[in-house]
Amino acid sequence: MISQSPDMKIAGDAPVRAPSSVPVDDAVLPFEVASLDLRGRLTRLGPALDDILTKHDYPAPVGKLLGEAIVLATLLGSALKFDGRFILQTQTDGPVSFLIVDFQSPDRLRAYARYDARRLKDGQDSGALLGKGHLAMTIDQGGDMSRYQGLVALDGGGLEDAAHEYFLRSEQIPTRVRLAVGEEWRGGDGGKHRWRAGGMLLQFLPKAPERARQADLHPGDAPEGTETHQVAEDDAWVEGQSLIGTVEDVELIDPDLSGERLLYRLFHERGVRVFTSLPLRAQCSCSREAVSAMLKSFAPKDRAEMVKDDKVVVTCEFCSSVYQFTPHEAGVEE
């Protein structure tokens, strides 16, 4: 295994070393399996995820689902090559009607979920919690640059399914994603449950584009009996899918298993290169100044209706920070 930027050419005599046994949380680890034309990223989240989820005291199923969304956002957003934002958002008719993850490159994360506690039931998986609706993934380059947005229909499947559908239809890059979220129990100070998560994204990126061809999409309203064009998958991609398919949830979230050792378990026979890890942190972008500016953008009538007990109180949905203003500070006309 080697450590180097994935954008640099790698010499044939690149340094080889044993995989580090030191686990690193709150980071994305890019990697490459050159012999199979595979590129990927591995996310491991600990304190940052726990900080985001515990601020809202979500029921366990909601916290797990939002955790999956956070992992997916880091796997996709960490690929940005510029200072910008990657926003993952769902709007559905399920018990968890709204999820949003805001990844601001290179390393800032914030997220929250809206849910109806009355509709939560034991045994609901991610697909049942989401229901039907859509997943939107937005890349915001800031300034006067245009936004790019991709939409994927959600029809009872989970976020892994939605990610696969997105890459199939929008990017047309053979891709597989694994997401895992769980709670660990740590003793000391009375003991505490802490959230952990992990995920892996694997893509087949051969130099010859014809090797990455995929079967045609379903013809939709084509006449019954219409044959779709079939394309045999490249042997290297078949092997890559088989290897990532062996990854267990416990391996992705194990606090004692380093990301490098996990990658070595999977790909050591083929040779795996790791690059410099990308740190992640939970940090909201809200501030008193930003909230004040937001209030002053409202119509005077709307600001006046916000006054309760002679003050205006605004709670950030992302981090639960509470900001209090006098009517004068909020721009309420007397």
Side-chain angles (χ1 to χ4, degrees):
M1 303 184 78
I2 67 171
S3 294
Q4 205 165 339
S5 167
D7 296 321
M8 296 175 62
K9 291 184 178 179
I10 301 171
D13 58 351
V16 177
R17 60 174 174 82
S20 171
S21 62
V22 180
V24 178
D25 280 339
D26 300 335
V28 179
L29 182 63
F31 65 91
E32 177 187 46
V33 185
S35 62
L36 295 176
D37 292 313
L38 302 176
R39 282 282 185 103
R41 292 184 289 280
L42 172 67
T43 290
R44 308 296 289 276
L45 289 171
L49 178 74
D50 193 62
D51 181 60
I52 293 171
L53 297 183
T54 54
K55 276 185 168 63
H56 292 272
D57 193 25
Y58 292 113
V62 179
K64 183 176 183 295
L65 179 61
L66 183 56
E68 290 179 356
I70 293 170
V71 174
L72 180 57
T74 65
L75 291 171
L76 301 178
S78 59
L80 295 180
K81 302 300 183 183
F82 51 84
D83 290 336
R85 296 168 67 191
F86 177 85
I87 303 167
L88 185 151
Q89 179 177 317
T90 67
Q91 287 187 304
T92 59
D93 62 3
V96 183
S97 59
F98 182 79
L99 291 173
I100 183 168
V101 185
D102 183 356
F103 176 92
Q104 186 168 340
S105 66
D107 60 0
R108 294 190 344 190
L109 277 169
R110 61 177 187 164
Y112 76 92
R114 293 180 193 155
Y115 64 95
D116 184 347
R118 298 169 298 180
R119 298 176 61 192
L120 297 177
K121 299 178 182 178
D122 293 338
Q124 289 174 314
D125 60 14
S126 296
L129 291 170
L130 287 169
K132 296 182 178 181
H134 70 266
L135 166 68
M137 289 175 279
T138 305
I139 296 175
D140 183 357
Q141 302 180 62
D144 298 328
M145 302 293 288
S146 58
R147 285 188 168 194
Y148 167 80
Q149 185 174 78
L151 291 174
V152 180
L154 292 172
D155 192 18
L159 293 175
E160 283 187 13
D161 299 325
H164 295 154
E165 187 72 7
Y166 168 76
F167 279 101
L168 175 64
R169 294 183 176 275
S170 300
E171 301 291 333
Q172 297 182 340
I173 299 174
T175 302
R176 284 294 176 270
V177 173
R178 285 284 289 108
L179 308 172
V181 181
E183 290 183 274
E184 65 166 335
W185 173 262
R186 289 286 185 178
D189 297 328
K192 183 182 179 182
H193 286 282
R194 297 184 185 275
W195 287 99
R196 293 191 57 79
M200 186 181 294
L201 177 145
L202 190 68
Q203 295 185 310
F204 181 49
L205 298 167
K207 293 180 181 179
E210 60 271 15
R211 290 182 60 203
R213 291 179 61 198
Q214 301 182 80
D216 291 342
L217 299 175
H218 191 278
D221 58 356
E224 185 176 349
T226 299
E227 294 186 7
T228 58
H229 183 220
Q230 299 297 317
V231 176
E233 291 185 319
D234 189 281
D235 289 345
W237 180 229
V238 171
E239 183 175 345
Q241 292 180 88
S242 176
L243 290 171
I244 193 174
T246 66
V247 179
E248 298 183 0
D249 287 1
V250 67
E251 293 179 295
L252 289 170
I253 64 176
D254 186 349
D256 299 318
L257 175 63
S258 73
E260 289 193 6
R261 284 199 166 181
L262 173 55
L263 292 174
Y264 184 77
R265 281 183 184 179
L266 292 175
F267 304 113
H268 68 277
E269 291 185 357
R270 290 294 188 171
V272 56
R273 291 168 169 162
V274 299
F275 309 111
T276 304
S277 63
L278 311 171
L280 302 169
R281 59 194 172 109
Q283 181 177 329
C284 190
S285 60
C286 73
S287 67
R288 184 174 180 82
E289 292 73 20
V291 174
S292 177
M294 177 198 67
L295 289 172
K296 292 175 181 177
S297 70
F298 293 160
K301 179 181 178 182
D302 294 333
R303 290 198 296 268
E305 292 176 350
M306 295 179 186
V307 179
K308 305 292 182 184
D309 298 325
D310 202 34
K311 59 187 176 183
V312 175
V313 180
V314 178
T315 302
C316 176
E317 291 185 297
F318 284 100
C319 67
S320 298
S321 295
V322 178
Y323 298 93
Q324 293 190 13
F325 301 86
T326 65
H328 176 71
E329 290 173 332
V332 177
E333 299 176 359
E334 297 182 1

